Amino acid sequence: MLTLETERLLLREMTVKDAPFMLRLLNSEGFINNIGDRGVRTLMQAENYIIEGPISSYQQHGYGMYSIVLKASGEIIGLAGLVRREQLPETDLGYALLPEFLGQGYALEASQAVLAHAKQLKLQTLLAIVNHDNQASRALLTKLGFESQGTMPWAEDDEVMLYKITL
């Protein structure tokens, strides 16, 4: 099982045991407002979400979304990783944190580990998508070295900002 390590964090592959965390994250206001409502309302749905998303991605692509775990406490505080989306021509960087862990540099630290991992995987380009109103994510992507590529259509009658980085 893959584990990435930073000064304060471990990023590890998700398992169905992470379902209680996933249920809480997917239903947090920030996730719903900035990423979208995934309609996951029960532990069983959260387990299926993990199986059909991250676990399937590890098997198909050799990467996926990873649980961000605080080294000091072992608590899962968020997700960060790499995703292949049908709508995008390249792999996408994704991240999300529980609300009480925002603004402490964890997303930056985890995303830097994911970028290093992407280089080890010999990925040459990464994309990231973000809602127009999500200023914190836009600033984070810029800090990581991503450059804005403008907007692109997303879902029904929606548009997102597209960012790109060459590794």
Side-chain angles (χ1 to χ4, degrees):
M1 180 178 281
L2 174 76
T3 301
L4 308 174
E5 187 171 349
T6 71
E7 182 180 336
R8 302 179 293 168
L9 307 171
L10 295 173
L11 281 75
R12 63 159 176 77
E13 291 182 9
M14 298 194 75
T15 72
V16 292
K17 292 178 184 175
D18 296 328
F21 155 77
M22 183 61 81
L23 181 62
R24 185 168 169 232
L25 178 70
L26 293 175
N27 288 288
S28 68
E29 183 179 351
F31 193 98
I32 290 171
N33 291 342
N34 292 312
I35 299 170
D37 187 347
R38 300 296 189 246
V40 174
R41 303 291 185 259
T42 68
L43 277 178
M44 182 172 283
Q45 288 174 329
E47 288 176 2
N48 288 334
Y49 185 88
I50 291 168
I51 291 166
E52 294 169 8
I55 292 173
S56 176
S57 183
Y58 308 146
Q59 294 166 351
Q60 289 180 29
H61 307 294
Y63 56 77
M65 293 297 285
Y66 306 109
S67 292
I68 303 171
V69 180
L70 286 178
K71 280 184 181 179
S73 67
E75 182 178 6
I76 303 172
I77 64 167
L79 303 174
L82 302 167
V83 181
R84 285 292 302 148
R85 300 181 195 275
E86 290 179 16
Q87 307 94 316
L88 298 175
E90 302 287 344
T91 301
D92 175 41
L93 170 71
Y95 48 85
L97 294 174
L98 290 171
E100 62 267 32
F101 297 102
L102 295 172
Q104 300 174 52
Y106 294 128
L108 176 64
E109 192 172 328
S111 294
Q112 288 170 331
V114 171
L115 289 179
H117 177 56
K119 287 180 186 178
Q120 290 175 336
L121 293 171
K122 307 273 191 255
L123 298 176
Q124 297 179 352
T125 304
L126 285 182
L127 301 176
I129 54 172
V130 62
N131 286 339
H132 292 275
D133 299 337
N134 192 341
Q135 296 298 330
S137 263
R138 292 172 59 187
L140 175 63
L141 291 171
T142 300
K143 189 178 267 190
L144 289 167
F146 281 78
E147 295 180 357
S148 176
Q149 306 296 299
T151 60
M152 67 174 283
W154 197 260
E156 298 173 20
D157 304 325
D158 202 8
E159 210 173 55
V160 293
M161 298 196 68
L162 179 67
Y163 285 78
K164 178 179 177 178
I165 190 171
T166 302
L167 302 173

